[in-house]
C-alpha cells in the first residue's frame, strides 16, 4: 500500500507549481471543503464515515493546516492525502481542473463539455487506449501489456485488434503490473475473449445516484466479441503492488473462475468504483460511490489486495510466467514443437544477463572453415563466408544466441581443454561442426 500511496503522491504532485492564482483565498478553501462535504453526503458508499471525514477537514481548516497550500493544486493534494488518511480508501482524489469542473457545474454549456470529451479522446489515442505492447515470446507465448482500462466505447476497436494479433498463440501472458485501473467494462470486454458459449457473471455491484438512489447491476461475459476467442489456452496475469482497481477486479474475477493463473505480487487493494463530480471553484473529486462483489465468493479485496497464485517479485514475473507457460504446454503435449530446454536459458538470461569476461571472448576468435569468430568493441561476432556478420549474445560461457535467428546457436567446442571447433546447434536437434583452422 505504501508504494501505491507514493505513486499517487507522484501523480498528484505533477503540476503543483504550474500555476499560481493570487486570488485563491482561505474563503475559497472553505467553500471547496463545504462543497466536498455535500458531495460525500450525496454519493459516498460509507455513510457512517461521512461525518468523521467532514469533521477532520473542518478541524484542519480551523487549525490553519491548509494555509501553506498556496496554489489550488497544492490544496487539492493536501485534501487528497487527508481523505486517504481518514477513510483508508485509496480511490479518493481531489483535482483542480476548471476546464473540466466548471462546465459540469453549468449543464447548459454543451460546447464546453464537447470540447472536454474531444480532448479526452485525443489523450486516449495518444496513449493507444492503454495498450502498450503486444508481441510473441519464445515458444509461441503471447504477451500483452496495458497500463489502464479505457472505456470500450472508444477503446474496443484497439482492444479487439490486439486480441486478434494474439489469437494464434498457445498461451497468453497479460501484464497488469503498471495498470492503475479505469473502466471495468474494458475488463469485461477482454475477459469475454477467454470463454466460448458461456454465460457467466463477472461482477455484481451497486452504486448511488443523486439523492442516494441505490442502483444494483451485474456484469456478465459478453455474448459476442469481434474475431476469434482464446477459450482453450492458458492465461497468466502479472500483478504488482501498484496493480489497482479495475485491473484488480479482472484479475480477481478470473482467478475465482479458475480461468487464469496470477503471477507476481499482492495488488494494492482498491475495490470500489468511483464517480468524478465537480465541486466549487474549479475543483472536482473522485468519490467511491459503490461496491462490487465477486459472484463466486460474494467478497471483494478492498484493503486486502488480490493474492497471486504464484508469488514472486514483480520484476521476475515475466520470466516466471513464461517458464510456467512453457512447462505446462510441454506437459499437455509432449510431442509438440515447444522444446522447453531450448528456451529456458534464453528466458533466464533475459532476467539476469550473463557477462563473459572479455579475455575469454577474445580467446574464441579465429577461423572455422567458412565461419569466423571476431571480437570487436567488447562483443563477439559470428561471420559466415565473409558475407554476413551477426552479433553473438552469451547465454552460457560457451553458448551464444545468434542475432537475427533462433533457428540455431553457436557452441564453443573444447577437447582436453583446448578450443578445437565451433558447433551450430539447431532447434530441431541437428548439429553442424566447424573445425578451427590451424594457424
Amino acid at each position: 500500500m505504501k508504494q501505491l500511496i507514493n505513486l499517487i503522491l507522484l501523480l498528484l504532485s505533477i503540476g503543483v507549481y504550474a500555476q499560481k492564482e493570487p486570488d485563491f483565498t482561505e474563503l475559497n478553501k472553505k467553500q471547496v471543503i463545504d462543497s466536498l462535504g455535500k458531495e460525500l453526503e450525496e454519493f459516498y458508499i460509507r455513510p457512517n464515515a461521512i461525518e468523521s471525514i467532514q469533521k477532520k477537514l473542518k478541524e484542519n481548516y480551523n487549525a490553519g493546516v491548509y494555509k501553506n497550500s498556496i496554489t489550488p493544486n497544492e490544496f487539492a493534494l493536501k485534501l487528497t492525502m487527508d481523505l486517504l488518511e481518514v477513510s483508508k480508501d485509496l480511490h479518493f482524489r481531489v483535482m483542480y481542473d476548471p476546464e473540466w469542473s466548471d462546465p459540469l457545474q453549468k449543464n447548459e454549456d454543451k460546447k464546453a463539455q464537447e470540447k472536454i470529451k474531444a480532448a479526452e479522446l485525443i489523450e486516449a489515442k495518444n496513449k493507444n487506449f492503454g495498450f502498450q505492447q503486444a508481441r510473441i515470446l519464445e515458444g509461441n507465448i503471447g504477451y500483452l501489456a496495458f497500463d489502464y482500462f479505457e472505456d470500450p466505447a472508444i477503446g474496443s476497436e484497439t482492444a479487439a485488434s490486439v486480441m486478434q494479433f494474439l489469437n494464434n498463440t498457445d498461451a497468453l501472458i497479460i501484464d497488469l503490473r503498471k495498470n492503475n485501473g479505469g473502466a471495468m467494462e474494458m475488463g469485461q470486454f477482454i475477459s469475454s475473449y477467454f470463454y466460448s458459449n458461456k454465460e457467466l457473471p463477472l461482477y455484481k455491484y451497486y452504486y448511488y445516484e443523486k439523492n442516494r438512489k441505490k442502483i444494483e447491476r451485474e456484469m456478465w461475459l459478453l455474448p459476442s466479441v469481434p474475431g476469434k476467442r482464446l477459450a482453450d489456452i492458458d492465461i497468466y496475469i502479472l500483478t504488482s503492488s501498484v496493480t489497482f482497481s479495475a485491473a484488480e477486479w479482472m484479475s480477481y474475477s478470473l482467478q475465482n473462475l479458475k480461468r487464469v493463473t496470477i503471477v507476481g505480487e499482492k495488488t494494492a487493494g482498491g475495490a470500489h468504483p468511483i464517480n468524478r463530480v465537480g465541486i466549487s471553484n474549479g475543483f472536482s473529486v473522485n468519490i467511491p460511490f459503490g461496491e462490487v462483489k465477486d459472484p463466486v465468493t460474494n467478497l471483494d479485496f478492498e484493503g486486502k489486495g488480490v493474492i497471486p497464485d504464484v508469488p514472486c517479485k514483480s520484476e521476475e514475473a515475466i520470466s516466471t510466467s513464461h517458464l510456467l507457460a512453457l512447462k505446462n504446454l510441454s506437459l499437455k503435449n509432449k510431442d509438440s514443437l515447444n522444446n522447453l530446454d531450448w528456451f529456458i536459458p534464453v528466458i533466464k538470461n533475459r532476467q539476469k544477463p550473463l557477462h563473459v569476461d572479455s579475455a575469454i571472448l577474445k580467446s574464441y576468435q579465429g577461423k572455422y572453415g567458412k565461419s569466423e569468430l571476431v571480437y570487436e568493441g567488447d562483443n563477439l561476432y559470428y561471420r559466415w563466408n565473409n558475407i554476413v556478420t551477426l552479433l553473438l549474445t552469451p547465454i552460457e560461457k560457451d553458448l551464444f544466441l545468434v542475432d537475427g535467428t533462433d533457428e540455431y546457436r553457436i557452441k564453443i567446442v573444447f577437447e582436453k581443454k583446448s578450443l578445437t571447433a565451433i558447433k551450430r546447434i539447431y532447434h530441431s536437434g541437428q548439429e553442424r561442426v566447424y573445425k578451427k583452422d590451424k594457424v
Side-chain angles (χ1 to χ4, degrees):
M1 183 175 290
K2 183 179 179 181
Q3 290 185 35
L4 183 67
I5 290 176
N6 288 339
L7 176 65
I8 292 171
L9 278 169
L10 175 64
L11 293 173
L12 293 179
S13 62
I14 295 172
V16 163
Y17 300 103
Q19 58 183 72
K20 182 175 180 179
E21 299 196 5
D23 59 347
F24 185 59
T25 65
E26 293 304 300
L27 177 60
N28 294 144
K29 296 174 187 177
K30 185 176 186 306
Q31 291 170 340
V32 171
I33 291 171
D34 291 342
S35 177
L36 173 58
K38 290 179 182 178
E39 295 301 335
L40 291 174
E41 292 173 0
E42 191 80 29
F43 294 109
Y44 187 41
I45 58 168
R46 293 173 174 166
N48 295 336
I50 294 172
E51 186 176 346
S52 62
I53 295 173
Q54 292 172 324
K55 181 180 177 183
K56 178 66 175 177
L57 297 182
K58 287 178 181 178
E59 285 177 351
N60 285 352
Y61 175 81
N62 292 332
V65 170
Y66 302 123
K67 284 188 176 180
N68 291 330
S69 301
I70 300 172
T71 69
N73 279 315
E74 289 177 323
F75 183 54
L77 176 59
K78 184 66 178 107
L79 280 181
T80 296
M81 299 314 298
D82 288 344
L83 286 169
L84 293 174
E85 180 184 354
V86 179
S87 70
K88 311 301 181 189
D89 193 317
L90 296 175
H91 271 105
F92 269 117
R93 180 181 174 186
V94 179
M95 295 151 282
Y96 179 67
D97 187 358
E99 290 188 5
W100 187 91
S101 59
D102 287 350
L104 212 66
Q105 301 291 326
K106 306 169 184 177
N107 292 327
E108 71 279 3
D109 196 346
K110 301 295 184 184
K111 287 186 178 179
Q113 292 182 34
E114 290 174 1
K115 183 180 177 182
I116 290 170
K117 288 184 177 180
E120 289 175 346
L121 179 59
I122 290 172
E123 183 180 4
K125 286 181 177 178
N126 289 338
K127 294 177 179 178
N128 199 37
F129 303 99
F131 295 95
Q132 299 300 310
Q133 287 189 57
R135 54 195 173 100
I136 311 299
L137 303 178
E138 292 86 356
N140 198 32
I141 309 299
Y143 174 82
L144 170 63
F146 57 110
D147 293 350
Y148 75 96
F149 282 36
E150 185 54 80
D151 185 346
I154 61 173
S156 61
E157 287 187 7
T158 300
S161 66
V162 167
M163 296 308 294
Q164 293 315 296
F165 170 76
L166 297 163
N167 70 11
N168 291 312
T169 54
D170 295 321
L172 177 62
I173 297 169
I174 301 177
D175 193 344
L176 301 182
R177 291 176 298 167
K178 297 180 181 179
N179 195 306
N180 299 136
M184 290 183 66
E185 291 83 357
M186 181 58 82
Q188 176 191 31
F189 184 79
I190 297 290
S191 297
S192 297
Y193 276 93
F194 307 145
Y195 293 90
S196 182
N197 300 318
K198 290 274 189 180
E199 294 185 2
L200 289 172
L202 294 171
Y203 325 111
K204 60 180 182 179
Y205 60 100
Y206 73 86
Y207 59 91
Y208 289 112
E209 289 188 339
K210 283 283 186 181
N211 302 315
R212 293 198 75 81
K213 181 182 178 183
K214 188 175 182 179
I215 306 295
E216 296 189 47
R217 293 282 188 270
E218 286 187 347
M219 275 191 196
W220 288 58
L221 291 172
L222 297 173
S224 176
V225 288
K228 177 184 171 183
R229 301 199 187 213
L230 293 78
D232 300 319
I233 67 172
D234 292 336
I235 310 290
Y236 302 85
I237 292 181
L238 311 187
T239 59
S240 75
S241 60
V242 298
T243 304
F244 190 53
S245 194
E248 294 180 274
W249 266 114
M250 188 174 102
S251 305
Y252 187 67
S253 169
L254 293 174
Q255 182 187 50
N256 289 326
L257 290 169
K258 303 190 184 304
R259 183 63 187 90
V260 303
T261 300
I262 298 180
V263 179
E265 298 172 344
K266 184 178 75 169
T267 63
H272 297 152
I274 59 170
N275 184 26
R276 184 179 181 184
V277 295
I279 48 182
S280 67
N281 296 298
F283 287 79
S284 60
V285 59
N286 287 344
I287 297 180
F289 77 133
E291 280 191 325
V292 186
K293 296 295 181 184
D294 180 78
V296 176
T297 64
N298 203 36
L299 299 172
D300 65 16
F301 47 83
E302 178 68 26
K304 301 185 288 289
V306 181
I307 309 300
D309 301 297
V310 182
C312 68
K313 292 180 180 178
S314 172
E315 60 270 23
E316 298 173 356
I318 293 180
S319 60
T320 300
S321 59
H322 192 179
L323 287 171
L324 184 60
L326 290 171
K327 288 177 182 177
N328 287 336
L329 283 174
S330 295
L331 290 172
K332 286 181 178 180
N333 186 3
K334 294 184 179 180
D335 297 326
S336 72
L337 295 177
N338 282 309
N339 185 336
L340 186 60
D341 293 335
W342 183 257
F343 297 119
I344 284 177
V346 181
I347 298 166
K348 288 184 175 179
N349 188 68
R350 186 175 293 128
Q351 182 68 40
K352 188 177 180 180
L354 176 69
H355 173 73
V356 179
D357 189 86
S358 59
I360 295 175
L361 295 178
K362 286 179 182 178
S363 72
Y364 296 158
Q365 290 190 106
K367 291 190 175 182
Y368 303 80
K370 292 184 178 181
S371 300
E372 184 179 4
L373 297 187
V374 180
Y375 181 82
E376 291 179 358
D378 296 329
N379 290 311
L380 191 65
Y381 293 87
Y382 174 65
R383 184 173 295 159
W384 170 251
N385 206 23
N386 285 323
I387 297 174
V388 61
T389 301
L390 303 169
L391 174 68
L392 297 181
T393 301
I395 52 176
E396 295 175 9
K397 191 168 72 171
D398 57 356
L399 183 64
F400 296 82
L401 299 177
V402 182
D403 188 43
T405 180
D406 198 39
E407 288 300 310
Y408 65 90
R409 293 168 188 169
I410 297 297
K411 173 81 172 176
I412 309 298
V413 179
F414 291 90
E415 293 179 9
K416 297 180 181 181
K417 296 184 179 180
S418 295
L419 197 165
T420 60
I422 61 173
K423 184 190 297 184
R424 277 193 188 187
I425 302 175
Y426 289 84
H427 190 185
S428 63
Q430 293 180 329
E431 296 181 353
R432 186 173 296 172
V433 177
Y434 301 90
K435 293 286 186 180
K436 186 174 183 181
D437 292 3
K438 294 181 180 180
V439 180

